[in-house]
Every structure is written in C-alpha cells, then in structure tokens.
Amino acid sequence: PLDNIKNFTQNSVVPIIGNTNHFLKKSITACIERNLRPIVVGTEITDVDSRISTIKTNRKAAVTSLLKYFNAAGRNDIALLGINSHSNIDTEKKEAFTEAFSALYGKDASGNIYYNETNAKACVNNLLKDISSYNGVICSNDYFAAAFIADALKNGLKIPDDVFVAGY
C-alpha cells in the first residue's frame, strides 16, 4: 500500500511490485515526490523515467522451470490459474506454459488455463470444479496461489499430496 512509503527515509530504495500501469505510475510518482528511489520488480512499464530502476524476469524460463519441476515430481496434469487476458505479462506466462507443456508432455494445454475474467474467487472456483483433472497448479501470482490453497483446503484437498501448487 502507498501508505507504507511514509516509513522510508529520503533516498531509500523502495521496491514496487505490481502489474497494472495505474498502480505502478501512482507508486512511482509518490516515491519521486518524497525523494525516494523506486525500483520496479518483475514487470515492465511503458514510459520509464530515468530515475527508475527495474528488475525484470525471464518469464518463459521461469514457467518452463516450474513445469520441469512438476514433471520431475510426477505431476503431469497441470493447470495454469489466474491469467488476466489483458495483461501482457500474463500473456507471456500463458504462452510459455502452453509451449513448455507441449514440449514436455506432447499435449495441448490451452484447456488447462483458467482466466481471471471477473474476479479471483470465481476463477479459483472454476478450477476447483475441475480439480479432479489436475495434480498440479501453477498460479499467475502469489495472490492466486494463496487464494487457491485456502479454498482447496476448505474443500478437503491435501496440499501437496493431492495437488502441487506454485505461485509465480
């Protein structure tokens, strides 16, 4: 939350983690106004100010690595949860997932993707309706991982015995 930046002293580095341009721009502006040094972690923004540092990740390698880990653990029925079709970052994750899934298992993974079209709860519930088809879930972010785990436990699933779960 933006209220937390009040706790930083001038010239402190402030990590900013988010995926919407509105949130990122608002956070960056607030930091610069308070003489803080924002660093955007794990995402890209379009109009980067020279006073902003960024840390970017290789999403394709990360998603591929998760699928290889699940595969090594004997998990081969894997869903991708929480993809926002309006997010370029989530689109990269989806494309990496389908490509790596096809390479590892020789199957099309497009039916294994659960989109966040209305809200997180509905997205998680849609996957839980189909959970008997899966033994692994890769979530688009840690929020979805936490939401999925909480609801899966309420529905009697054992994590990780029944379903492996990873947040991105």
Side-chain angles (χ1 to χ4, degrees):
L2 286 177
D3 292 340
N4 291 344
I5 65 171
K6 296 174 188 173
N7 300 327
F8 289 92
T9 59
Q10 273 192 344
N11 292 315
S12 292
V13 173
V14 178
I16 300 173
I17 302 171
N19 67 356
T20 65
N21 278 337
H22 173 75
F23 171 79
L24 293 170
K25 288 177 183 181
K26 189 174 177 181
S27 300
I28 290 165
T29 300
C31 287
I32 291 172
E33 287 172 352
R34 290 169 178 78
N35 292 318
L36 300 171
R37 297 170 41 208
I39 183 166
V40 178
V41 180
T43 191
E44 293 86 29
I45 64 170
T46 50
D47 44 344
V48 176
D49 184 296
S50 62
R51 297 170 286 182
I52 301 166
S53 296
T54 60
I55 298 173
K56 299 178 184 178
T57 59
N58 182 333
R59 288 177 194 85
K60 182 176 181 178
V63 171
T64 300
S65 178
L66 283 171
L67 278 169
K68 286 180 178 178
Y69 174 78
F70 278 42
N71 185 43
R75 305 301 170 128
N76 54 8
D77 296 314
I78 303 162
L80 180 62
L81 176 67
I83 294 296
N84 178 342
S85 60
H86 302 291
S87 164
N88 291 337
I89 293 167
D90 280 1
T91 298
E92 284 182 48
K93 293 174 193 175
K94 178 192 77 161
E95 289 170 359
F97 178 79
T98 56
E99 184 179 315
F101 193 93
S102 177
L104 279 170
Y105 303 109
K107 297 189 276 185
D108 178 27
S110 59
N112 298 25
I113 300 168
Y114 290 79
Y115 292 92
N116 182 22
E117 298 299 342
T118 54
N119 63 59
K121 186 78 170 160
C123 184
V124 168
N125 285 338
N126 285 337
L127 174 56
L128 285 171
K129 289 177 193 170
D130 300 335
I131 199 61
S132 64
S133 299
Y134 301 104
N135 57 18
V137 177
I138 296 175
C139 302
S140 63
N141 57 53
D142 290 341
Y143 174 81
F144 270 98
F148 175 78
I149 290 169
D151 284 355
L153 293 172
K154 287 178 191 172
N155 283 282
L157 291 168
K158 295 179 182 134
I159 310 292
D161 297 338
D162 296 330
V163 181
F164 267 34
V165 180
Y168 183 90

